[in-house]
Structures are given as C-alpha cells and as structure tokens.
Amino acid sequence: MVSGGACKDTRVHENQGQRVLPIFYNVDPSDVRNHRGKFGAALAEHEKNLTENMERVQIWKDALTQVANLSGWESRNKNELLLIKEIVKHVFNKLINICSGDTEKLVGIDARIQEIKMRLCLESDDVGMIGIWGMAE
C-alpha cells in the first residue's frame, strides 16, 4: 500500500540528522524501486484519482525509488524473530556509537545507557518493544 504519509522525501530526514532504515516486509525491493506489483497498482490508482495533483504522485514515486536504493532489510524467506534481532542490534549499535563520544559533559548518561542495554535483553528470544524519547539536536 502506498500512502502519502509513508512516502516523504528521505532527503528531508537525512538533512535533519535522521536515519532512514528501510524494512521491506514481504515485498521485493525491486518492486518498490520499479513501481511494480502492489506498488505499481497503488501508484496507478493514485494517478487516476489525483489527476490534478500529479506532482504529488511523482514525489511519492521518487521517494519509493530513493528508499528502495538504500541499504535495508528484506523479510522474505527469513525468520522474523532473527530479522527483528538483526534490526534491533543494528539500531542499538548506531545508538551506542552516537553515545560513545564525549560523555563527560552528559551527567548520568552511563547509568542510563546501561539501563537501556539491560531492558533490551538482546540475548533473549522474546519479542519486546522499547520507546526512546527526549530532546534532540
């Protein structure tokens, strides 16, 4: 399914310091890139319904192509639990790299990082969820 909220220009996120990590869930990235299959059908439907706003559909097409060209994960033919673990580990390592810089000025950060590590339970086979929020630069 292709929707406007999901098809934002990835350059906007990168310019704001955000990372785009595509997860292709039960879809071939080449279908996303080339607008085939479900993506092609959904885009054709949008083109039919948005005849007066074709530039919006083009933005969505460009965003889909851009995302499909990024390195990401495919869920097809993979154990879902192992895929989730791989993604969590990747995100966790990115966060650790960001946080492992100059922490002297960040009072109490080490204890909080240890708490996050403990709560993630990376060794466990259970599925869990964690939300992290706070101030961003």
Side-chain angles (χ1 to χ4, degrees), residues 52-63:
E52 65 279 344
N53 199 353
M54 290 302 289
E55 68 183 53
R56 186 175 189 186
V57 176
Q58 188 59 48
I59 289 170
W60 294 344
K61 286 181 173 183
D62 294 344

Side-chain angles (χ1 to χ4, degrees), residues 43-54:
L43 286 166
E45 187 69 26
H46 284 303
E47 286 175 337
K48 191 168 67 174
N49 295 332
L50 296 171
T51 54
E52 65 279 344
N53 199 353
M54 290 302 289

Side-chain angles (χ1 to χ4, degrees), residues 23-35:
I23 301 169
F24 300 98
Y25 191 79
N26 289 331
V27 67
D28 185 338
S30 68
D31 284 349
V32 177
R33 181 181 307 106
N34 298 311
H35 315 135

Side-chain angles (χ1 to χ4, degrees), residues 64-117:
L64 286 169
T65 302
Q66 201 175 17
V67 166
N69 285 327
L70 295 174
S71 178
W73 293 269
E74 278 188 66
S75 70
R76 295 176 312 141
N77 305 319
K78 285 193 179 178
N79 178 299
E80 199 166 304
L81 177 62
L82 295 177
L83 178 66
I84 292 168
K85 278 185 165 186
E86 185 181 330
I87 294 167
V88 167
K89 190 175 249 182
H90 177 83
V91 171
F92 181 74
N93 287 335
K94 291 286 184 191
L95 289 172
I96 291 302
N97 287 339
I98 291 169
C99 294
S100 65
D102 184 15
T103 58
E104 284 182 27
K105 299 174 190 158
L106 302 174
V107 177
I109 194 72
D110 293 326
R112 288 186 170 89
I113 289 174
Q114 288 306 107
E115 184 178 353
I116 290 171
K117 283 182 181 179

